[in-house]
Amino acid sequence: MSGVWVFKNGVVRLVENLGDCRKTLVHIPSEEVITSYGVLERKLLSLGWERYYQGDPELLQFHKRSTIHLISLPKDFNKFKSMHMYDIVVKNRKEFEVRDVLQSQ
């Protein structure tokens, strides 16, 4: 048996086709799903992050003053993957989380 066990609404079920599951980034305080870089940028700016323009022009980057943290994202939101989401979560604990979104079959 292979797949991912998903716990939702008190029920555990096995999702065997991993193609049916994708990730989404959620802003915890507002429960808002991040659907664009515009939405993400507003949330990050409110947390003290600022745009960083001195890096790679192919990336959208954010820096937080008084830290060494840099968030680097692909300019195309369609290339925004779970590894980018987890980078944001690690650098903003209690503000964001990555959730599984099950596709309806």
Side-chain angles (χ1 to χ4, degrees), residues 37 40-41 44-45 49-64 69-75 84 87-88 91:
Y37 281 149
L40 177 60
E41 183 171 14
L44 291 174
L45 292 176
W49 290 88
E50 52 191 42
R51 286 289 303 272
Y52 182 76
Y53 295 99
Q54 298 172 6
D56 186 336
E58 296 300 313
L59 297 174
L60 180 64
Q61 295 182 307
F62 296 91
H63 178 260
K64 194 166 195 178
H69 294 306
L70 184 68
I71 296 173
S72 297
L73 309 170
K75 281 219 169 171
H84 303 110
D87 185 41
I88 293 167
K91 294 172 181 166

Side-chain angles (χ1 to χ4, degrees), residues 5 12 15 26 29 43 50 60-61 71-72 75 77 83-84 89 91 95-96 100-101:
W5 288 98
V12 176
V15 177
V26 177
K43 301 296 184 191
E50 52 191 42
L60 180 64
Q61 295 182 307
I71 296 173
S72 297
K75 281 219 169 171
F77 189 75
M83 69 177 192
H84 303 110
V89 169
K91 294 172 181 166
E95 294 292 330
F96 293 96
D100 290 327
V101 177

Side-chain angles (χ1 to χ4, degrees), residues 2-78:
S2 65
V4 175
W5 288 98
V6 176
F7 182 79
K8 185 175 181 181
N9 299 326
V11 177
V12 176
R13 71 182 189 126
L14 179 65
V15 177
E16 293 186 33
N17 183 354
L18 295 179
D20 289 347
C21 190
R22 64 180 177 87
K23 304 286 187 191
T24 190
L25 183 65
V26 177
H27 180 248
I28 297 170
S30 66
E31 286 292 312
E32 184 175 1
V33 174
I34 304 302
T35 56
S36 70
Y37 281 149
V39 173
L40 177 60
E41 183 171 14
R42 285 191 295 280
K43 301 296 184 191
L44 291 174
L45 292 176
S46 73
L47 294 170
W49 290 88
E50 52 191 42
R51 286 289 303 272
Y52 182 76
Y53 295 99
Q54 298 172 6
D56 186 336
E58 296 300 313
L59 297 174
L60 180 64
Q61 295 182 307
F62 296 91
H63 178 260
K64 194 166 195 178
R65 286 184 189 238
S66 76
T67 72
I68 59 169
H69 294 306
L70 184 68
I71 296 173
S72 297
L73 309 170
K75 281 219 169 171
D76 182 356
F77 189 75
N78 292 322

